[in-house]
Structures are given as C-alpha cells and as structure tokens.
Amino acid sequence: MPALLGTLVDPDPMVRSMAASALGRIGHASAVGPLQARLADPLVPVRFWVVEALGRIGVSAPGLRETLERMAREEEAHVRAAAQRALVRLPAPGP
C-alpha cells in the first residue's frame, strides 16, 4: 500500500484520482491521513475521488469532520455531494 499512497502526489491528475479511488475500495484506515492531505487538490476530479474514498473508509481523523463540512459547501456539486455522503458515514462525534 505504500506505493499506492505515493501516487496520491503524482503529477498526473488521473493517477491521483485512480489512487484515491483504489484506496477507498481497499478501505484501510492508514490511508485517511494521506487522503486528507489531498483534499486541497486544485482539480475537481481528484478532490471528488478523495472525498469519496474518505467516505468509504468511514474512519474519523483530527480535523476531518470540519474539513468535510467545509467541502460540503463547495461550489462544485459533485464534491459537495460526496462530502455530504462522507459525513454521514463518519462515526458520530464524541462528547
């Protein structure tokens, strides 16, 4: 999985998107941090697949809920919808 995580920073946006999608299908919690770091990708398709992957993994991380709440208000409808779905899948916040 380390090689796949490394492709999240590939110069080719298609590679970054495919890596995020694959990490979401694998569903391992160790991918949350590296995926979270890609939420600011300048390209919409990459952000979409990163948010989708985080929702599939469904594990919370520090600051993730707040970031996804911000993404749920993004201008791009696909990313916004993916963020809303991801938020539903995250564990409920603690007390």
Side-chain angles (χ1 to χ4, degrees):
M1 197 164 82
L4 187 55
L5 289 171
T7 60
L8 286 173
V9 295
D10 193 275
D12 184 336
M14 180 65 82
V15 172
R16 294 193 307 272
S17 295
M18 292 173 60
S21 177
L23 288 165
R25 286 192 308 274
I26 292 168
H28 199 277
S30 66
V32 171
L35 284 165
Q36 191 172 357
R38 296 307 312 164
L39 284 170
D41 196 282
L43 297 176
V44 170
V46 177
R47 289 196 310 274
F48 170 80
W49 286 111
V50 167
V51 171
E52 277 288 312
L54 288 167
R56 284 180 183 224
I57 295 170
V59 174
S60 194
L64 180 58
R65 179 169 295 281
E66 294 79 12
T67 302
L68 288 173
E69 287 170 350
R70 181 177 44 80
M71 301 293 285
R73 295 185 301 274
E74 182 175 302
E75 184 177 316
E76 178 58 44
H78 288 46
V79 175
R80 189 171 57 241
Q84 292 165 351
R85 285 190 301 273
L87 283 165
V88 170
R89 294 177 185 149
L90 286 182

